[in-house]
Amino acid sequence: MSTISDVAKLAGVSAMTVSRVINNSGYSSREARARVEAAIAELAYVPNALGRQLRSKQTKMLALVLSDIMNPFFTTIARGVEDVAGAHGFSVMFCNTDESETEEAQYLLMLVQRQVDGVLLVPASSSGKSLRMLSSHQMPVVVLDRRIQSRHVDSVRCDSEAGAYKLTEHLIGLGHRRIAVLTGRRSVSTSVDRVAGYRRALLDAGLNPDDALVRYGEYNQVDGHRMAQEILAVDPRPTAIFAANNFIAFGVMRALRETGLRVPEDMSIVAFDDVPAAWVGEPFLTVVDQPAYEIGRRAAELMLSRLEGRTSGAGRDVVLPSELIVRRSSGVPRAEVPVSAAPVDHAPTPDRRARGVPVVPAVTTGAAR
Amino acid sequence: MSTISDVAKLAGVSAMTVSRVINNSGYSSREARARVEAAIAELAYVPNALGRQLRSKQTKMLALVLSDIMNPFFTTIARGVEDVAGAHGFSVMFCNTDESETEEAQYLLMLVQRQVDGVLLVPASSSGKSLRMLSSHQMPVVVLDRRIQSRHVDSVRCDSEAGAYKLTEHLIGLGHRRIAVLTGRRSVSTSVDRVAGYRRALLDAGLNPDDALVRYGEYNQVDGHRMAQEILAVDPRPTAIFAANNFIAFGVMRALRETGLRVPEDMSIVAFDDVPAAWVGEPFLTVVDQPAYEIGRRAAELMLSRLEGRTSGAGRDVVLPSELIVRRSSGVPRAEVPVSAAPVDHAPTPDRRARGVPVVPAVTTGAAR
DNA sequence: CTGTTAGCGCGTTCAG
DNA sequence: CTGAACGCGCTAACAG
């Protein structure tokens, strides 16, 4: 490994001149430049970023701390972050917390030690402890996906409450009256926001929320399965289930399959998060799709514009809209339809994307709206 | 940001003593240790890893360079790498090359500059240029997923040839005689190995490979779709399609849906790569599943054991076995079954995992095997 | 346009 | 058991 002074020696100039040539900073004569470049080529010299980083106090490195890179929602966010960061000469480190506050704290400490230039954080809890720790070290932060209290921090997320409202409204429009919701843990804002949107939709329709139909758990398939089993034992049984994320939805599907219930004839399912089109043969679930790539992209841009001094002042809270996509997993509840007239439609069904106007004709219910 | 000498000053000792306390190296008296720890706490001192890295010439950082983190296969590999690396105190940087040699070269140069301790590489091409560049900088490398020429480099991959053989054999056993294969680009070893396994299976069954049924393209949905359209126009049309990866398979499914062909009644599909169980309601595709997490885990372990000096000598080539999982997307070809007796089985179908012995009874064909 | 000086924060070396 | 001196590779600040 040759160093900058090896190059300087070979080129017959000082290290400083070499530095200027490498970084295109300051002036340098054609001749000196040529000699330096020749020396660099001869030695196959590659500058050592560590020295530069130590001196300039910039690592050109961002960190993305999230719960699990295996979740397609986060994978997509990650790709958005990487694309933007890369275009600005920044690299990205990924850290999986698995929703554990302990893991999160350990990673954040490590990131501070490593002097990353900024942290993009999907907080494992809304306690704000992590944010305080980061700000005590003057570490720039953008919070992703979740709501936080602090007014000083930038955040980019999707409107969970509104998305949940849309899904619930859709089910009510189909005629459902008993709708269950299976969500994540109480300490995560998306979990509670989605329940809140669900409740508001029920109330707006003049329906009475039933706490027996609300379950909190983990955002994974195992817990989705468990919660679905519980909810299927409730009497009277709900006619529709709202899964607050994709993994929970798949756990629900499994539970229904095991119980022999058909979707949507015996039970409707709707969920948050779509599965990327590239990964599925025929999309089946009615979902609210979050703009995951956009969340990552916007978060990275916000971070970079702070770091490059193009943005300053109070924290921005960017809230992106979600989109309702109606597919075959949601239908009219059994009681509403004659048994003989419930054919399963297995023909190719293009997505009916709801844009503004609900695609499904609203069923007139007791209450307005 | 306080430094090690701030702590030293406050504790009334030298910087060296502080360093010893932090790293538990050498001796230090109880008293000194206590004073240092108090000072650290008071200043909320966090050691700057950059200084340490510059001095020790170790960054405790690995890089994973792959084509696209959005591909579930690579995401799973990434998680395997991260878990192992994290357990050893290493961090991981991810780089998406999108199969571009240019992108790859840029990333690798950046990684050398950043002085990462090692690179885990899914090479965009089998040219070996990247490997030569890395070795010229004495950068430790483990190649993942793909074959390379060099005998000096460690690699961890799955046996593509054998997996393709299993899938093709399965189709032949069902009675298929005209089987198409849609694969990736010729410069990637997995693409050509899968075609090789396919050809060997045909030959072993006494069938004649038809080059019109072999297509090379990109490992993505768009190209899978395009290649499927081409292959459906071939006369006589094949009765089964072997997609060499998951994305190609989904492109094929889309093409078939658009053409109005049913799977498996009108066309069987088999593919490389399973979709993680957590992401799908009911798995449908007959696949060969690669142990992706294991590939990542083993690669990271190999790298760490080299870095920690526990392994030395010639490059290891770890080849992991794949597993055939038979599902509903593959069936007996149309001609072989009376039209009246081809019911679609929509009941819950547990996976029939083939372990050693083929699950599907072998159809007696002209040739042995 | 170019070179010199002086660190960035830390750990190794060696003498107390 | 502890500290002083030095250097890792690079660049900001200042002369020339």
Side-chain angles (χ1 to χ4, degrees), chain A residues 62-320:
Chain A
L62 300 181
L64 174 57
V65 179
L66 39 72
S67 47
D68 181 10
I69 190 80
M70 306 265 293
N71 182 329
F73 173 64
F74 291 120
T75 310
T76 310
I77 288 183
R79 185 66 209 239
V81 169
E82 230 258 336
D83 286 352
V84 172
H88 289 248
F90 280 73
S91 305
V92 185
M93 284 181 47
F94 297 87
C95 309
N96 299 113
T97 64
D98 291 317
E99 302 281 6
S100 149
E101 294 185 57
T102 319
E103 289 275 335
E104 180 176 298
Q106 284 174 355
Y107 272 122
L108 294 182
L109 180 60
M110 183 267 279
L111 295 170
V112 170
Q113 294 188 184
R114 282 190 187 279
Q115 310 279 114
V116 297
D117 291 339
V119 172
L120 307 179
L121 176 67
V122 178
S125 98
S126 47
S127 77
K129 206 145 79 177
S130 297
L131 291 179
R132 277 195 299 279
M133 181 276 196
L134 289 171
S135 87
S136 82
H137 290 279
Q138 291 95 273
M139 175 68 78
V141 181
V142 174
V143 169
L144 279 77
D145 179 47
R146 298 174 185 179
R147 231 172 355 92
I148 30 79
Q149 297 92 329
S150 172
R151 281 270 114 235
H152 306 293
V153 175
D154 292 317
S155 62
V156 180
R157 61 195 173 89
C158 182
D159 193 338
S160 281
E161 206 269 8
Y165 189 98
K166 281 189 242 181
L167 283 174
T168 313
E169 188 184 36
H170 163 69
L171 289 172
I172 296 171
L174 286 172
H176 293 274
R177 293 297 168 268
R178 284 186 66 72
I179 303 171
V181 58
L182 313 185
T183 190
R185 57 174 70 174
R186 286 169 205 274
S187 55
V188 169
S189 75
T190 52
S191 303
V192 300
D193 288 358
R194 286 167 198 177
V195 172
Y198 153 89
R199 290 179 60 94
R200 186 164 64 86
L202 290 180
L203 292 170
D204 281 0
L207 297 173
N208 227 345
D210 178 355
D211 282 345
L213 296 182
V214 180
R215 302 286 152 137
Y216 292 86
E218 297 291 331
Y219 275 144
N220 63 40
Q221 210 210 23
V222 171
D223 247 38
H225 182 255
R226 183 185 59 71
M227 291 191 286
Q229 286 178 323
E230 285 179 26
I231 223 68
L232 291 177
V234 172
D235 187 38
R237 182 186 272 176
T239 61
I241 296 179
F242 164 25
N245 96 332
N246 45 7
F247 285 176
I248 290 180
F250 293 132
V252 172
M253 299 268 283
R254 188 155 60 85
L256 294 179
R257 217 161 44 242
E258 290 164 1
T259 321
L261 291 171
R262 289 166 307 163
V263 180
E265 296 85 345
D266 305 319
M267 181 70 70
S268 287
I269 307 184
V270 301
F272 240 84
D273 301 330
D274 201 11
V275 174
W279 301 350
V280 285
E282 185 176 351
F284 171 75
L285 280 177
T286 290
V287 295
V288 152
D289 183 33
Q290 303 190 75
Y293 186 87
E294 192 66 12
I295 292 176
R297 205 180 62 74
R298 294 286 287 272
E301 273 174 0
L302 203 44
M303 172 60 75
L304 291 169
S305 86
R306 291 273 185 198
L307 294 180
E308 292 166 1
R310 301 196 316 270
T311 301
S312 58
R316 292 220 196 316
D317 185 26
V318 179
V319 179
L320 268 26

Side-chain angles (χ1 to χ4, degrees), chain B residues 165-174 323-326 352-363 369:
Chain B
Y165 189 97
K166 281 189 243 180
L167 283 173
T168 312
E169 188 183 36
H170 163 68
L171 289 172
I172 295 170
L174 287 171
E323 184 184 18
L324 176 64
I325 304 175
V326 177
R352 289 164 287 159
R353 297 219 158 204
R355 295 188 184 282
V357 196
V359 173
V360 178
V363 172
R369 188 183 181 106

Side-chain angles (χ1 to χ4, degrees), chain A residues 4 19 45 48 55:
Chain A
I4 198 170
S19 174
Y45 166 72
N48 182 331
R55 195 63 241 248

